Amino acid sequence: MAKPGTDQARKAAWRLLQGVRDGRSLSDQAEGLGTLSVSDQARAARLAATALRHRARAEAVIAAHVNRKPTPQVADVLILATVELLELKAAAHGVVDAAVTLTRSLGKRGQAAAGMVNAVLRKVSAHQDWDRMPPQRLPDWLRRPIAAQWGKDVAKAIEAAHQQPAPLDLTPKPAAETLPEAETLPTGSLRIAGPVQVSALPGFEAGAWWVQDAAAALPVRLLNPQQGQRIADLCAAPGGKTLQLAAAGAEVTAVDISAPRLKRLSQNLRRCGLTAEIVTADALNWRPKGGLDAILLDAPCSATGTIRRHPDLPFLRDGSGIADLVALQAQLIDHALDLLPAGGRMVYAVCSLLFEEGEDQIRAALTRHEGLQVLHPDLPGIDPAWITPEGGLRLRPDYWPERGGMDGFYLAHLQKPT
């Protein structure tokens, strides 16, 4: 029989999947897990994320054993249990019993479906081909441009990368001690494989590091901030890049339109013993009180490079609104360049896999701004194949497959003419 805490985590995971069906992201639903223990919160979040990574495969297995399509509520029970059985290799007896109990708790329809759930899952538990099934496909609105950009083999490689949970990456403060359980990546980030409790890691309370994907740490490394330089971090929240800039000794102004997200940034600055000026404002309307040496612009984007960390994204978005994002990015680039003096530098970054938000965006900016140049990316650990024809840096989830991959990013280091 499953432990009560385990059943609570399963039911919470089921609620998370129902929330995604209703259009709410997993992160937006995180506060709703607050009544659970820390371990059950983590288990529920992991189970829901795993179910979303493998939902299409689970649905295909389930479909072979049902006569008619179940209700969304019952379907999510079946998906969670199928993923536990076939992907997480959990013991069949406990998983099936818990799924039947959860189904019965869903009212009259659930009680009527409990027998079907029991029968289907007993058949699913004997399934032999799970590991040979292809990874979950990207939605067409995203797969088409990826295949057009890099070919179908790369699209398949990215889908395979999305199937694996992202490891935990940390950015250490300069001279911080390396965590014994962490691998030091070629670009300088620390990586820990497997689920861990972040707040229990050595150095958390002392602020020796912060959580930040290895790819997300590269824009600041590309900007190469120096002691005393005046740098604006536009669209700064949740703040990992602000922390990097401040740790390098720069005088940082962090600008973001979201006050709640900046509150989290303030908390991380305090934990890490770092300082920055925090401004709640629309970056398009903000102007500095004094001069700037450089700008980091991590622009709003489709976030299509972060699916390995946010497997709910393909189920929440349909590709609409990207044209508006591209227009906003161009406005932000133009405004940021206007804030810089002659010779001033800027790093533009987006966690997107789409050329129109990355490579095409920078090529258009070079056309609009005479004399603007892209500085060659020269960083430790960078594969020359990641450098794009216009001089930017393209990062993809299928890079570093032997290390656990990375988020998809595009970044470019720009300099105004002197």
Side-chain angles (χ1 to χ4, degrees), residues 40 42 98 100 105 114 120 126 128-129 141 165 168 176 181 183 197 205 223 274 282 314 318 348 357 376 397:
D40 276 347
V100 170
S105 74
V120 168
Q128 299 293 319
D129 296 327
W141 66 265
L168 177 69
E181 56 268 77
E183 171 194 4
Q197 185 178 333
E205 293 294 342
L223 190 63
L274 299 170
D282 184 340
D318 59 7
Y348 169 79
E357 297 185 271
H376 183 79

Side-chain angles (χ1 to χ4, degrees), residues 61-62 65 81-82 85-86 119-128:
V61 172
I62 293 163
H65 304 296
T82 297
L85 290 167
L86 302 181
V120 168
L121 290 179
R122 292 191 183 282
K123 293 175 182 176
V124 165
S125 66
H127 185 80
Q128 299 293 319

